[in-house]
Structure formats: C-alpha cells, structure tokens
Amino acid sequence: WAEAERVYDEAISRLPETAAVPEAMYWRAVSRYKRTNDHVPLQEVAKQLDGKDTIWASKASVRLP
C-alpha cells in the first residue's frame, strides 16, 4: 500500500491540471487507509473533493459528515 500511495502522490504532483487528479486523490486516500487502518484520509479526501463534479467526489462523499 505504501508503494501505491507513493505512485498516486507522484501522479498528482506531476499532472496537477489533469482530470486524473481526483481519481488519484481518491485512490491515494484508500491506499493510506489500507496501509494504516486510519479512516481520517478518507474523510479528508471527501472534503477536498466536495463540490467537484466527478465520480470520485461522489464515491468519496459517503465519508462526509
């Protein structure tokens, strides 16, 4: 999971203006959750993606209060 998290971090930093960023943000949070069993990254990504018109914002929204 650590390697997946690193790859998603790299994708986000190398391609910041692409449509792939919300997906990478979502999967980075999932990878971090799987690695640590801490749900906070899932809540954080839900907040970061809130209001964005993407499937990834929709998927993450289940973690919003």
Side-chain angles (χ1 to χ4, degrees):
W1 296 112
E3 178 64 13
E5 191 177 339
R6 186 193 65 73
V7 168
Y8 291 122
D9 270 337
E10 185 176 326
I12 292 165
S13 65
R14 291 181 77 182
L15 307 165
E17 302 301 319
T18 67
V21 169
E23 181 178 3
M25 289 171 65
Y26 177 85
W27 288 114
R28 177 182 61 185
V30 170
S31 297
R32 191 170 296 155
Y33 166 73
K34 292 293 223 170
R35 181 175 59 79
T36 64
N37 204 30
D38 179 4
H39 63 85
V40 171
L42 299 173
Q43 292 171 330
E44 289 173 352
V45 78
K47 289 176 190 172
Q48 292 168 346
L49 294 175
D50 190 31
K52 306 265 192 288
D53 188 24
T54 72
I55 187 69
W56 305 105
S58 178
K59 287 176 181 276
S61 70
V62 299
R63 293 296 182 161
L64 290 172

